[in-house]
Amino acid sequence: MDNHKKNILLQNCNNLEPNQIISIVQTGQITIEEFKAAGLSQNIINQILSSLTTKEQAEDKAAKKSELLEKVVRGRVSADEIKANINNGNFSFDDLLDVGIQEKVVNSLKHYCNSNRITMFRNISQLPPMEEGRTDVYFVGVPGSGKSTMLSGLLNVANKSGVLMPDIYNNDGSIYQTQLISDLNRGVLPNATASGSYNYVALSLKDEDGAKHPFNIVEVPGENYVNIFNNGDVGEFLNYISNSNKKILIFVVDSLSHDTGYNDSSNQLDQNLVYVNILNMFKSNGVLNQTDAIYIVANKFDAIKASRYATNNSSDDSLAFEFLQDEFKNLIENCKDARDESKNKFKIKVLPFSIGNVSFTSIIDNFDKEYSQVVIDNLIEDSFVVKGSRFKLFS
Ligand SMILES: Nc1nc2c(ncn2[C@@H]2O[C@H](COP(=O)(O)OP(=O)(O)OP(=O)(O)O)[C@@H](O)[C@H]2O)c(=O)[nH]1
Ligand SMILES: [Mg+2]
């Protein structure tokens, strides 16, 4: 703009439309300070300033939004972060659909964000006593190894196939059970178990002949195992589990974090060492004499299958066996030795497990029921039947 035209505009600034001034300022031809010096009324200056800043803010917000959505598309955020962004108004569920997130996944995210999913806290002294005359199943695993997710898969499949019969000894456990089943139906994985909290679920599984296999399933919080490992403080826990029930121990190995070098700070301990230590604790306290089976589970199997075994076509069973033989040999050998020394020659089984494809840490887009079914079949095979429970009404 030539100087002459500029001076004319400045001299007549109070006759210009605010929108006209805004576009002149935006194109950088005349600055707001020059208008001010030329005597533009303060009222109009304020109006222009506020409209310029909201415009700037809107541009910033839009840039931030597309940056955040880009991260979502690349799967670089957790459902928790998505929830925070939705609550802060940074983007909406519709924006997620617009950038191509599947409707099913968006619906799962809605459930994750909107439902009030409880995280119960129970320390061991608050648990109801373990009902006798059942098989006790312990999920043993460091934090984040996937114990709760595995339980939710088992409950969901048992429920769908009609073999799940919740027992009412523990009301909290029944509530937890219902929540796990309905969350997974909507594609949502369990919350992290509250630090230090135990979950106890009593249920029966019906076998092919209609006979009931009663179980007490106890999820012991991950960090507890770490504590046991670190300071050997096991009294309360051992006291709780020392009853005359038969036991099945499920060692849940996080094969993903093992393979990625434990770069997740919450999971720094070498699982090999932790699990061998826990096994020996069970051994020295006589728990293994009542143990009928130990399962060593290569969990998050989907992840190592996609990376470590991407070009290997062997069956899942043999890959899991190979993985555990290669990486957890010490645990397997310790289990075998313990079995040889035990009165009770328990079975040692090695299984792969995966819940399916996980996205945003807590969303499951494709629940893979097969692995859960295999664990259920094994639990039925390795547990006892209540006498006289065989009934066949509908066959
Ligand atoms: N890829 C993959 N990730 C999984 C699988 N199972 C669990 N995860 C991931 O691991 C996270 C932790 O799983 P949880 O079931 O909460 O683990 P946990 O052992 O109960 O952990 P604590 O409650 O902290 O002791 C989940 O939120 C998922 O992100 C799986 O089969 N495959
Ligand atoms: Mg858990």
Side-chain angles (χ1 to χ4, degrees), residues 141-150 189-194 219-223 256 299-303 353-356 358 361-362:
V142 294
S145 55
K147 301 176 292 298
S148 306
T149 299
M150 218 174 139
L189 294 184
N191 287 344
T193 309
E219 252 197 288
V220 183
E223 65 277 14
L256 175 61
N299 197 24
K300 308 190 187 177
F301 191 68
D302 55 296
F353 188 87
S354 163
I355 197 75
V358 176
T361 312
S362 307

Side-chain angles (χ1 to χ4, degrees), residues 43 96 125 133 144 230 240 261 285 312:
N43 202 1
L96 295 177
S125 61
N230 285 339
Y240 183 70
N285 290 281
N312 192 328

Side-chain angles (χ1 to χ4, degrees), residues 217-351:
I217 300 186
V218 183
E219 252 197 288
V220 183
E223 65 277 14
N224 240 70
Y225 291 114
V226 175
N227 289 344
I228 288 171
F229 181 72
N230 285 339
N231 50 35
D233 180 12
V234 291
E236 209 184 10
F237 176 60
L238 281 173
N239 206 16
Y240 183 70
I241 71 168
S242 60
N243 55 23
S244 59
N245 287 350
K246 294 291 192 188
K247 303 190 193 308
I248 296 177
L249 310 178
I250 304 183
F251 284 96
V252 183
V253 169
D254 185 339
S255 46
L256 175 61
S257 87
H258 182 80
D259 239 22
T260 48
Y262 300 102
N263 45 17
D264 173 4
S265 59
S266 65
N267 202 350
Q268 286 296 346
L269 281 171
D270 185 329
Q271 296 175 85
N272 249 315
L273 304 177
V274 175
Y275 297 155
V276 166
N277 205 293
I278 291 165
L279 177 79
N280 286 324
M281 172 200 86
F282 283 137
K283 183 169 98 180
S284 54
N285 290 281
V287 176
L288 295 187
N289 288 332
Q290 283 157 253
T291 298
D292 281 344
I294 294 184
Y295 303 165
I296 305 177
V297 175
N299 197 24
K300 308 190 187 177
F301 191 68
D302 55 296
I304 55 165
K305 214 172 142 180
S307 54
R308 184 180 178 114
Y309 297 122
T311 56
N312 192 328
N313 292 327
S314 308
S315 73
D316 287 357
D317 287 348
S318 40
L319 289 180
F321 187 76
E322 186 181 321
F323 173 77
L324 292 166
Q325 272 289 343
D326 286 351
E327 303 292 332
F328 288 82
K329 198 172 175 65
N330 198 33
L331 176 60
I332 295 175
E333 291 304 314
N334 271 271
C335 281
K336 285 188 193 159
D337 283 1
R339 178 187 55 195
D340 295 344
E341 289 166 32
S342 166
K343 283 191 288 195
N344 200 13
K345 301 297 171 225
F346 50 82
K347 297 180 197 165
I348 303 171
K349 295 184 175 178
V350 164
L351 313 167

Side-chain angles (χ1 to χ4, degrees), residues 134-240:
R134 311 170 73 84
T135 302
D136 299 343
V137 177
Y138 290 99
F139 280 93
V140 179
V142 294
S145 55
K147 301 176 292 298
S148 306
T149 299
M150 218 174 139
L151 177 60
S152 93
L154 303 188
L155 291 172
N156 199 287
V157 166
N159 182 51
K160 278 214 175 79
S161 55
V163 303
L164 175 68
M165 290 172 284
D167 293 321
I168 41 113
Y169 304 108
N170 174 17
N171 190 44
D172 277 358
S174 306
I175 294 171
Y176 180 58
Q177 217 173 125
T178 314
Q179 176 173 318
L180 289 182
I181 293 172
S182 62
D183 278 350
L184 190 56
N185 279 338
R186 288 155 174 255
V188 174
L189 294 184
N191 287 344
T193 309
S195 182
S197 178
Y198 288 75
N199 286 311
Y200 161 34
V201 172
L203 56 85
S204 293
L205 295 175
K206 209 161 47 164
D207 67 22
E208 279 178 342
D209 301 324
K212 278 171 88 174
H213 297 240
F215 292 98
N216 293 313
I217 300 186
V218 183
E219 252 197 288
V220 183
E223 65 277 14
N224 240 70
Y225 291 114
V226 175
N227 289 344
I228 288 171
F229 181 72
N230 285 339
N231 50 35
D233 180 12
V234 291
E236 209 184 10
F237 176 60
L238 281 173
N239 206 16
Y240 183 70

